[in-house]
Amino acid sequence: MNFASDNVTPVCPEIQAAIDAQCQGNAPAYGGDDVSGTLDRAFSGLFDCEVAVVPVSTGTAANCISLSTLVSPYGGIVCHHEAHINEDESTAVAHFTGGAKLLPIDGPSAKLEAENLSRYLESRVDRGVHSVTPECVAVTQSTELGGVYSPDEIGAIGAVCKQFDKKLFMDGARFGNAVAALNCHPADITWKAGVNALSFGGTKNGALAVEAIILFDPSKRAQAELARKRSGHLLSKHRYLAAQLAAYIANDLWLKNARTANTAAQALASLLVDQGGEMLLDSQANELFVTLPDNTAQKLRDAGMLFYSWPSLGANAYRFVTAWNSDTGAINDLKTQLQGS
Amino acid sequence: MNFASDNVTPVCPEIQAAIDAQCQGNAPAYGGDDVSGTLDRAFSGLFDCEVAVVPVSTGTAANCISLSTLVSPYGGIVCHHEAHINEDESTAVAHFTGGAKLLPIDGPSAKLEAENLSRYLESRVDRGVHSVTPECVAVTQSTELGGVYSPDEIGAIGAVCKQFDKKLFMDGARFGNAVAALNCHPADITWKAGVNALSFGGTKNGALAVEAIILFDPSKRAQAELARKRSGHLLSKHRYLAAQLAAYIANDLWLKNARTANTAAQALASLLVDQGGEMLLDSQANELFVTLPDNTAQKLRDAGMLFYSWPSLGANAYRFVTAWNSDTGAINDLKTQLQGS
Amino acid sequence: MNFASDNVTPVCPEIQAAIDAQCQGNAPAYGGDDVSGTLDRAFSGLFDCEVAVVPVSTGTAANCISLSTLVSPYGGIVCHHEAHINEDESTAVAHFTGGAKLLPIDGPSAKLEAENLSRYLESRVDRGVHSVTPECVAVTQSTELGGVYSPDEIGAIGAVCKQFDKKLFMDGARFGNAVAALNCHPADITWKAGVNALSFGGTKNGALAVEAIILFDPSKRAQAELARKRSGHLLSKHRYLAAQLAAYIANDLWLKNARTANTAAQALASLLVDQGGEMLLDSQANELFVTLPDNTAQKLRDAGMLFYSWPSLGANAYRFVTAWNSDTGAINDLKTQLQGS
Amino acid sequence: MNFASDNVTPVCPEIQAAIDAQCQGNAPAYGGDDVSGTLDRAFSGLFDCEVAVVPVSTGTAANCISLSTLVSPYGGIVCHHEAHINEDESTAVAHFTGGAKLLPIDGPSAKLEAENLSRYLESRVDRGVHSVTPECVAVTQSTELGGVYSPDEIGAIGAVCKQFDKKLFMDGARFGNAVAALNCHPADITWKAGVNALSFGGTKNGALAVEAIILFDPSKRAQAELARKRSGHLLSKHRYLAAQLAAYIANDLWLKNARTANTAAQALASLLVDQGGEMLLDSQANELFVTLPDNTAQKLRDAGMLFYSWPSLGANAYRFVTAWNSDTGAINDLKTQLQGS
């Protein structure tokens, strides 16, 4: 009953097996192995278009290397105030891009809104070299507050980016949870909507440590690979990254895991509402933000739940995160049990 | 018979088991787990002094984060021309340190020599802010050309560093092979010799992807951890790095693996000499550099060996690297077999 | 009648004379000349405490080199949204500091308020290496919107900085105008109030191109000088920077020039109010922000005035900047003349 | 008789007059003034091709901003060991380029040789992202050791650059002295020879503080201007930079000044040889490197000469630099006088 974060989960069995399968013989280093060689084709199939895949072991690396291919050291990146790149990645964006500046704006459930974005871009006075010109817009799917952009919403943002000649980046640390929630094709919320690069997250959703930089403009590969090496993110035993990714997308494991997490979140939401909780945000994926009546948090903790209070949303606010290993049955059982108490 | 690199090897069984053992339940992220909590004590025991341990997943990250705690953006790092940080890490050193400059010098088997280093430091004219002041000296143990510094040699370099008020960094990507070759205590070639920070390598010697930054001045920990986060090298499922490291030093696994590699290198050297090869460098650890008579390379490849030609050492020069999974028995058998051919 | 900016002014006669006086003979380069040698003592006298002076030729260089001595590449700088370092210096702060992040907050007339600052610092949740820790607070004196901090106001901000263990930096591009407006001792609004480093502006107030980095902790000099050289801001004919600065503070020229500008601003304010203008902000120095009735702006332009509309403050908002060469008499004459029209 | 450096000289009368002429009225800031507006056309005329001109106040800024338009943060810059960018600009190149690495090679009189350069580029093993790929070659004209590249020599280097697809940068801190020595058209040793960008030096040759970045690919202007602003090198009173440059190239002042310096160097060389000196290098411009018999240096200093010993060239080695204000008549008189002594 650990809802502290999806980062607390272990590696899922299928990915564990894939790692173990690489523990027998030798194989070329630095991506020269067979599994690494399959990734471009596999992901191009998954996204139904030609992509270049550059695997790394953390989300910060995936986000910042992606951004470094989209913005100059003099440019700005429009994002939500709550964006992980703005709030949780130290000064990494400036480090990887050579100085690009985050330009945070607001929106519900940590989502940007096309109209508001358009207004923001329109209102910025271009004062030439003095001011920072936005070169890129960054969204998170699903968002840091559990929000999910619909294909239409992303499409509208993509259209604004096109109109204003900005690149569009998607932090998909929980991309699987979004696709599972939307029940859409991955293409619908990425390149078809105007996304130029995506961090395709694996770690939170069952992998050991792997995120795939998906470049919808494959000509950016060389630059991304240089940035990866230069920042120390090229693993010598690259096949272990590749094996995680290959297993992650084989047989839709990534979606299976995400669905498990999302379903558990719904069950958990039901339990929390049952206990008097009020949902704070429109949470469609695997994160819930909720206010709980007095003593309820303690009651849930006594029942074995782990979760964080979330003071930025209010005194009685809490965050619950489900994951690929959450047990919906157990949640439902606990719900029943708590009803009786 | 893959002697192309020690990076081609798989994960060794003990470390695989340690990873698998982490695949059951949840655990706190970002180093809050139990295994991560044991590392400082374990490595302090190993080195017989208080150290701070900061695990990362690549050697470039370990080297450059270490260096970023030792030099300013305006400073220089004296190293050998052949040093991995100079030849094989793109522009990573400048990236992580904010601009520090590598100042390469020469020496046999990619080793710095105390006297030559002293002469170099003495001869540099300090032209104030115009010139780059060396702030740090970097050695590799064992070196990129298979050399090993004896405790006395490192001690002499450490004394020069002390005299000239320079920090001393050791790239220990193959530290285990050096300790195994020297049969010394790890302290003898590190802090007792004046080393301030060490990259303690795991990946080449049986791990999946882990190197430990060992800070002999534990007060540098906060800076190293900030640098790690900022560069995207803090893994969320940190316990998987920790578990690799813990298993790696438990029961002297790191030394056992290194000894296997070194022993195989000696057997392989014997085979190569037998075939008319001439050792180019004093190779004490797990890397051999050798010239082979015409056709011999082909003959060895036909016998199933993989290895690289090494043109920087001459037209008929080759490099052979053994590893934790090299089979000395098989090498000896092949030696016998080739003698008969 | 050019009120577009104080940057449009020429060099004032006294500084021109000082430059011309350096056009005779040879003198040591890079600050080894006699005039450069007098600056520390002269400014230590001016501020009534020991300071280190590092001259550069632009405000961006002065601000960013100063900041680079106060914050780490992982830290944050709290400033006003309207701060020049946030709005008008491209990505220079990140460039010079190695990545430090600006953390903008609000306040009237582009001024920070101690209480609000305290609340902001208190409210920031420290999430360790993930979040950016504010390490420095930056104020502008006088501000980008013509505001002036009283000694008490700066003192209160300095006290908050001390309480929260933050450094305090002052962008004094128009420092002279502030001191002239406050009629205080320069020490009262700098080191006595807790300021650690100051950009002491010369260019806008009569110099050709010089700003002095004033380090109230003189031990930071070496770092500032390294940062200056590394960023290409060490002039070989340094005496020309020094001569400007020496002349600028001799006989209180800087205050004389600033008083001329401030007096002209008051006369201009009177004219503008006379014409139906409404002062938008409490402008005590040499910048006025005003709304003008329809057609009035055109009328003033027809009368020979140059000035900018300032849409960020509203549709009919304008900015007027006076300078060391503004002619109060002429302004008063125009006022009378316009009254008759 | 100050031969310590051409940086010790004052501003020459013509440029002083141009600065003084700007000390009357107001003018738009940041390059919006009339004089700034003339530079592109003037320099395009001078070089007989369309160029973009970006003025800055130091050579380090000119060199490094130029280089930042020619190389990526992952690339290398081949230059001579003695190059100013390698030996005298701290870590500025890495700072401005985001990490590009200097790759120094040898050559007589601090000159690169086409054949040697070709061999170097050919011999570099491209190990993909691991190694640094040379992206640019940098030459200094005239060199740090007084050497001058003939049009043929530069042309040969340019041809090698073209063959290997490298950019070619020229540090022209003493470009005037080279053109004066060669008596060629500036185009002959720049764009016609394959130079992509040039630092056109003014400061050493009579200006107060100005160097012009000359971009032979004018489409690079925007990037150079962003880099200039970001590094704090955009002067608000830009007309003072422009006025220096305009005066500097009007009526071939730059060549007149350079010829004065070169002529004085020849007279000085004659005097030094007369006193038993031996020229160490083929010095065609305004720098002499010479060994002097015992006691001769003291004798010359007693006669009023200032100059530096140059230990890197030997125990009795010295450097003499003449400049636009050197007095050839006085040198000849001293020669005669010393002959009699």
PDB file of all heavy atoms in Angstrom, chain A residues 35-55:
ATOM      1  N   VAL A  35      20.333  -5.878 -29.460  1.00  0.00           N
ATOM      2  CA  VAL A  35      19.092  -5.311 -28.924  1.00  0.00           C
ATOM      3  C   VAL A  35      19.038  -3.804 -29.181  1.00  0.00           C
ATOM      4  O   VAL A  35      18.012  -3.270 -29.611  1.00  0.00           O
ATOM      5  CB  VAL A  35      18.937  -5.599 -27.420  1.00  0.00           C
ATOM      6  CG1 VAL A  35      17.542  -5.209 -26.958  1.00  0.00           C
ATOM      7  CG2 VAL A  35      19.199  -7.068 -27.137  1.00  0.00           C
ATOM      8  N   SER A  36      20.139  -3.145 -28.917  1.00  0.00           N
ATOM      9  CA  SER A  36      20.167  -1.698 -29.188  1.00  0.00           C
ATOM     10  C   SER A  36      19.803  -1.428 -30.641  1.00  0.00           C
ATOM     11  O   SER A  36      19.131  -0.435 -30.953  1.00  0.00           O
ATOM     12  CB  SER A  36      21.551  -1.123 -28.882  1.00  0.00           C
ATOM     13  OG  SER A  36      21.859  -1.265 -27.507  1.00  0.00           O
ATOM     14  N   GLY A  37      20.258  -2.339 -31.518  1.00  0.00           N
ATOM     15  CA  GLY A  37      20.012  -2.146 -32.944  1.00  0.00           C
ATOM     16  C   GLY A  37      18.544  -2.267 -33.345  1.00  0.00           C
ATOM     17  O   GLY A  37      18.178  -1.881 -34.458  1.00  0.00           O
ATOM     18  N   THR A  38      17.729  -2.783 -32.452  1.00  0.00           N
ATOM     19  CA  THR A  38      16.313  -2.964 -32.815  1.00  0.00           C
ATOM     20  C   THR A  38      15.432  -1.783 -32.419  1.00  0.00           C
ATOM     21  O   THR A  38      14.268  -1.720 -32.825  1.00  0.00           O
ATOM     22  CB  THR A  38      15.719  -4.195 -32.095  1.00  0.00           C
ATOM     23  OG1 THR A  38      15.684  -3.938 -30.676  1.00  0.00           O
ATOM     24  CG2 THR A  38      16.522  -5.451 -32.353  1.00  0.00           C
ATOM     25  N   LEU A  39      15.971  -0.886 -31.616  1.00  0.00           N
ATOM     26  CA  LEU A  39      15.097   0.111 -30.977  1.00  0.00           C
ATOM     27  C   LEU A  39      14.455   1.074 -31.960  1.00  0.00           C
ATOM     28  O   LEU A  39      13.265   1.402 -31.842  1.00  0.00           O
ATOM     29  CB  LEU A  39      15.869   0.879 -29.905  1.00  0.00           C
ATOM     30  CG  LEU A  39      16.301   0.044 -28.695  1.00  0.00           C
ATOM     31  CD1 LEU A  39      17.075   0.921 -27.713  1.00  0.00           C
ATOM     32  CD2 LEU A  39      15.102  -0.578 -28.003  1.00  0.00           C
ATOM     33  N   ASP A  40      15.259   1.577 -32.897  1.00  0.00           N
ATOM     34  CA  ASP A  40      14.695   2.546 -33.838  1.00  0.00           C
ATOM     35  C   ASP A  40      13.485   1.964 -34.557  1.00  0.00           C
ATOM     36  O   ASP A  40      12.449   2.619 -34.696  1.00  0.00           O
ATOM     37  CB  ASP A  40      15.751   2.978 -34.862  1.00  0.00           C
ATOM     38  CG  ASP A  40      16.673   4.044 -34.308  1.00  0.00           C
ATOM     39  OD1 ASP A  40      16.335   4.668 -33.284  1.00  0.00           O
ATOM     40  OD2 ASP A  40      17.739   4.255 -34.912  1.00  0.00           O
ATOM     41  N   ARG A  41      13.640   0.725 -35.027  1.00  0.00           N
ATOM     42  CA  ARG A  41      12.547   0.126 -35.765  1.00  0.00           C
ATOM     43  C   ARG A  41      11.340  -0.137 -34.857  1.00  0.00           C
ATOM     44  O   ARG A  41      10.199   0.134 -35.231  1.00  0.00           O
ATOM     45  CB  ARG A  41      12.987  -1.176 -36.434  1.00  0.00           C
ATOM     46  CG  ARG A  41      12.128  -1.471 -37.650  1.00  0.00           C
ATOM     47  CD  ARG A  41      12.857  -2.295 -38.664  1.00  0.00           C
ATOM     48  NE  ARG A  41      13.292  -3.530 -38.040  1.00  0.00           N
ATOM     49  CZ  ARG A  41      13.118  -4.739 -38.583  1.00  0.00           C
ATOM     50  NH1 ARG A  41      12.548  -4.845 -39.764  1.00  0.00           N
ATOM     51  NH2 ARG A  41      13.554  -5.810 -37.993  1.00  0.00           N
ATOM     52  N   ALA A  42      11.638  -0.592 -33.659  1.00  0.00           N
ATOM     53  CA  ALA A  42      10.542  -0.915 -32.747  1.00  0.00           C
ATOM     54  C   ALA A  42       9.738   0.336 -32.397  1.00  0.00           C
ATOM     55  O   ALA A  42       8.501   0.337 -32.421  1.00  0.00           O
ATOM     56  CB  ALA A  42      11.101  -1.561 -31.478  1.00  0.00           C
ATOM     57  N   PHE A  43      10.431   1.409 -32.088  1.00  0.00           N
ATOM     58  CA  PHE A  43       9.718   2.633 -31.708  1.00  0.00           C
ATOM     59  C   PHE A  43       9.088   3.319 -32.919  1.00  0.00           C
ATOM     60  O   PHE A  43       8.051   3.971 -32.798  1.00  0.00           O
ATOM     61  CB  PHE A  43      10.633   3.586 -30.943  1.00  0.00           C
ATOM     62  CG  PHE A  43      10.709   3.270 -29.474  1.00  0.00           C
ATOM     63  CD1 PHE A  43      11.671   2.396 -28.983  1.00  0.00           C
ATOM     64  CD2 PHE A  43       9.794   3.820 -28.588  1.00  0.00           C
ATOM     65  CE1 PHE A  43      11.727   2.085 -27.633  1.00  0.00           C
ATOM     66  CE2 PHE A  43       9.843   3.519 -27.230  1.00  0.00           C
ATOM     67  CZ  PHE A  43      10.809   2.649 -26.752  1.00  0.00           C
ATOM     68  N   SER A  44       9.746   3.182 -34.070  1.00  0.00           N
ATOM     69  CA  SER A  44       9.119   3.733 -35.282  1.00  0.00           C
ATOM     70  C   SER A  44       7.795   3.020 -35.536  1.00  0.00           C
ATOM     71  O   SER A  44       6.803   3.634 -35.962  1.00  0.00           O
ATOM     72  CB  SER A  44      10.059   3.587 -36.480  1.00  0.00           C
ATOM     73  OG  SER A  44      11.217   4.379 -36.287  1.00  0.00           O
ATOM     74  N   GLY A  45       7.778   1.722 -35.260  1.00  0.00           N
ATOM     75  CA  GLY A  45       6.528   0.992 -35.375  1.00  0.00           C
ATOM     76  C   GLY A  45       5.503   1.454 -34.352  1.00  0.00           C
ATOM     77  O   GLY A  45       4.344   1.712 -34.679  1.00  0.00           O
ATOM     78  N   LEU A  46       5.969   1.606 -33.139  1.00  0.00           N
ATOM     79  CA  LEU A  46       5.055   2.011 -32.065  1.00  0.00           C
ATOM     80  C   LEU A  46       4.409   3.356 -32.366  1.00  0.00           C
ATOM     81  O   LEU A  46       3.222   3.572 -32.094  1.00  0.00           O
ATOM     82  CB  LEU A  46       5.843   2.084 -30.747  1.00  0.00           C
ATOM     83  CG  LEU A  46       5.065   2.435 -29.489  1.00  0.00           C
ATOM     84  CD1 LEU A  46       4.085   1.329 -29.152  1.00  0.00           C
ATOM     85  CD2 LEU A  46       6.025   2.638 -28.306  1.00  0.00           C
ATOM     86  N   PHE A  47       5.199   4.267 -32.923  1.00  0.00           N
ATOM     87  CA  PHE A  47       4.679   5.619 -33.168  1.00  0.00           C
ATOM     88  C   PHE A  47       4.174   5.796 -34.596  1.00  0.00           C
ATOM     89  O   PHE A  47       3.709   6.869 -34.958  1.00  0.00           O
ATOM     90  CB  PHE A  47       5.739   6.666 -32.845  1.00  0.00           C
ATOM     91  CG  PHE A  47       5.867   6.929 -31.379  1.00  0.00           C
ATOM     92  CD1 PHE A  47       6.834   6.299 -30.616  1.00  0.00           C
ATOM     93  CD2 PHE A  47       4.981   7.788 -30.748  1.00  0.00           C
ATOM     94  CE1 PHE A  47       6.931   6.530 -29.260  1.00  0.00           C
ATOM     95  CE2 PHE A  47       5.066   8.033 -29.387  1.00  0.00           C
ATOM     96  CZ  PHE A  47       6.049   7.391 -28.637  1.00  0.00           C
ATOM     97  N   ASP A  48       4.346   4.757 -35.384  1.00  0.00           N
ATOM     98  CA  ASP A  48       3.838   4.817 -36.754  1.00  0.00           C
ATOM     99  C   ASP A  48       4.471   5.951 -37.556  1.00  0.00           C
ATOM    100  O   ASP A  48       3.809   6.616 -38.367  1.00  0.00           O
ATOM    101  CB  ASP A  48       2.306   4.976 -36.720  1.00  0.00           C
ATOM    102  CG  ASP A  48       1.669   4.486 -38.018  1.00  0.00           C
ATOM    103  OD1 ASP A  48       2.359   3.796 -38.792  1.00  0.00           O
ATOM    104  OD2 ASP A  48       0.486   4.814 -38.250  1.00  0.00           O
ATOM    105  N   CYS A  49       5.737   6.163 -37.328  1.00  0.00           N
ATOM    106  CA  CYS A  49       6.503   7.136 -38.129  1.00  0.00           C
ATOM    107  C   CYS A  49       7.965   6.904 -37.810  1.00  0.00           C
ATOM    108  O   CYS A  49       8.299   6.280 -36.802  1.00  0.00           O
ATOM    109  CB  CYS A  49       6.115   8.573 -37.799  1.00  0.00           C
ATOM    110  SG  CYS A  49       6.774   9.168 -36.249  1.00  0.00           S
ATOM    111  N   GLU A  50       8.833   7.402 -38.648  1.00  0.00           N
ATOM    112  CA  GLU A  50      10.254   7.178 -38.408  1.00  0.00           C
ATOM    113  C   GLU A  50      10.752   8.060 -37.274  1.00  0.00           C
ATOM    114  O   GLU A  50      10.634   9.297 -37.342  1.00  0.00           O
ATOM    115  CB  GLU A  50      11.045   7.471 -39.695  1.00  0.00           C
ATOM    116  CG  GLU A  50      12.433   6.842 -39.649  1.00  0.00           C
ATOM    117  CD  GLU A  50      13.378   7.532 -40.608  1.00  0.00           C
ATOM    118  OE1 GLU A  50      12.886   8.176 -41.567  1.00  0.00           O
ATOM    119  OE2 GLU A  50      14.596   7.452 -40.382  1.00  0.00           O
ATOM    120  N   VAL A  51      11.303   7.434 -36.254  1.00  0.00           N
ATOM    121  CA  VAL A  51      11.869   8.186 -35.137  1.00  0.00           C
ATOM    122  C   VAL A  51      13.293   7.717 -34.881  1.00  0.00           C
ATOM    123  O   VAL A  51      13.694   6.631 -35.286  1.00  0.00           O
ATOM    124  CB  VAL A  51      11.051   7.968 -33.839  1.00  0.00           C
ATOM    125  CG1 VAL A  51       9.607   8.414 -34.018  1.00  0.00           C
ATOM    126  CG2 VAL A  51      11.117   6.516 -33.372  1.00  0.00           C
ATOM    127  N   ALA A  52      14.053   8.584 -34.205  1.00  0.00           N
ATOM    128  CA  ALA A  52      15.359   8.170 -33.683  1.00  0.00           C
ATOM    129  C   ALA A  52      15.209   8.032 -32.179  1.00  0.00           C
ATOM    130  O   ALA A  52      14.622   8.893 -31.529  1.00  0.00           O
ATOM    131  CB  ALA A  52      16.420   9.211 -34.026  1.00  0.00           C
ATOM    132  N   VAL A  53      15.753   6.945 -31.642  1.00  0.00           N
ATOM    133  CA  VAL A  53      15.641   6.654 -30.212  1.00  0.00           C
ATOM    134  C   VAL A  53      17.011   6.763 -29.561  1.00  0.00           C
ATOM    135  O   VAL A  53      17.973   6.157 -30.042  1.00  0.00           O
ATOM    136  CB  VAL A  53      15.090   5.231 -29.998  1.00  0.00           C
ATOM    137  CG1 VAL A  53      14.943   4.928 -28.503  1.00  0.00           C
ATOM    138  CG2 VAL A  53      13.774   5.051 -30.707  1.00  0.00           C
ATOM    139  N   VAL A  54      17.090   7.506 -28.486  1.00  0.00           N
ATOM    140  CA  VAL A  54      18.336   7.645 -27.738  1.00  0.00           C
ATOM    141  C   VAL A  54      18.031   7.339 -26.270  1.00  0.00           C
ATOM    142  O   VAL A  54      17.449   8.157 -25.576  1.00  0.00           O
ATOM    143  CB  VAL A  54      18.926   9.071 -27.893  1.00  0.00           C
ATOM    144  CG1 VAL A  54      20.240   9.191 -27.131  1.00  0.00           C
ATOM    145  CG2 VAL A  54      19.130   9.418 -29.365  1.00  0.00           C
ATOM    146  N   PRO A  55      18.410   6.157 -25.797  1.00  0.00           N
ATOM    147  CA  PRO A  55      18.075   5.787 -24.416  1.00  0.00           C
ATOM    148  C   PRO A  55      19.043   6.389 -23.395  1.00  0.00           C
ATOM    149  O   PRO A  55      20.253   6.459 -23.646  1.00  0.00           O
ATOM    150  CB  PRO A  55      18.217   4.253 -24.412  1.00  0.00           C
ATOM    151  CG  PRO A  55      18.429   3.841 -25.838  1.00  0.00           C
ATOM    152  CD  PRO A  55      18.987   5.028 -26.540  1.00  0.00           C
TER     153      PRO A  55
END
